[in-house]
Amino acid sequence: MKLYVKWANGKEDSSDEIVTDTKPPHVDSAGYKRAHWSYRFDGYLHYFGLVRATRYQWLEQQSDGTTNYHTREEFSGTLRNFVPLADVQNGFERQTKALKACAERK
C-alpha cells in the first residue's frame, strides 16, 4: 500500500508499506472485542537493513461500549537511531486526533 504522510512542518512524503497481519473484530478470552492490523515499511532502506519499521494498530472495545485505539511502531536496522522519533510521535498524535474526530462525526 502507499502511505501518505503530512509532517507537522507541512512537508509531504509517501512510502510503500506491506501489510503483515490483520485480525478482524473478535472477542478475546477476557471478553473484550478487539481488532488489529500491522504493516511494515518497504523500500531500499528496509532491504539493505538500514531502517526497518513495523507499525501495529489495534482497537479494543471496553465494557462500557467505548473503543480505545492504540498504535506502536518498532524500529530496527543500522540507521534506526537517526529516525526522527519526535516527528513520528507527533504524526501519531495528529493521526489519532483526526481518527477520533472522524469516528465521532459518524
Side-chain angles (χ1 to χ4, degrees):
M1 72 179 180
K2 181 73 78 173
L3 178 68
Y4 295 94
V5 177
K6 186 169 187 177
W7 299 101
N9 65 7
K11 182 181 173 189
E12 295 182 5
D13 244 328
S14 67
S15 63
D16 293 325
E17 309 284 330
I18 295 177
V19 175
T20 57
D21 189 28
T22 61
K23 186 151 190 174
H26 63 283
V27 177
D28 69 8
S29 60
Y32 291 104
K33 191 171 187 180
R34 301 176 193 263
H36 74 263
W37 78 310
S38 60
Y39 54 91
R40 72 169 172 79
F41 169 70
D42 194 36
Y44 73 92
L45 292 173
H46 171 84
Y47 288 112
F48 290 113
L50 301 175
V51 176
R52 293 190 170 158
T54 301
R55 184 164 185 191
Y56 304 90
Q57 296 182 80
W58 64 100
L59 299 169
E60 295 176 325
Q61 187 175 43
Q62 303 302 301
S63 58
D64 65 1
T66 61
T67 300
N68 292 334
Y69 165 76
H70 304 274
T71 185
R72 179 180 90 240
E73 189 145 4
E74 295 177 353
F75 296 96
S76 63
T78 307
L79 300 178
R80 74 181 172 277
N81 293 330
F82 296 97
V83 172
L85 294 178
D87 293 336
V88 172
Q89 181 64 35
N90 178 275
F92 281 177
E93 291 169 4
R94 289 183 299 110
Q95 179 201 19
T96 300
K97 286 179 185 176
L99 179 61
K100 182 179 189 290
C102 181
E104 289 175 345
R105 281 194 304 268
K106 303 292 177 183

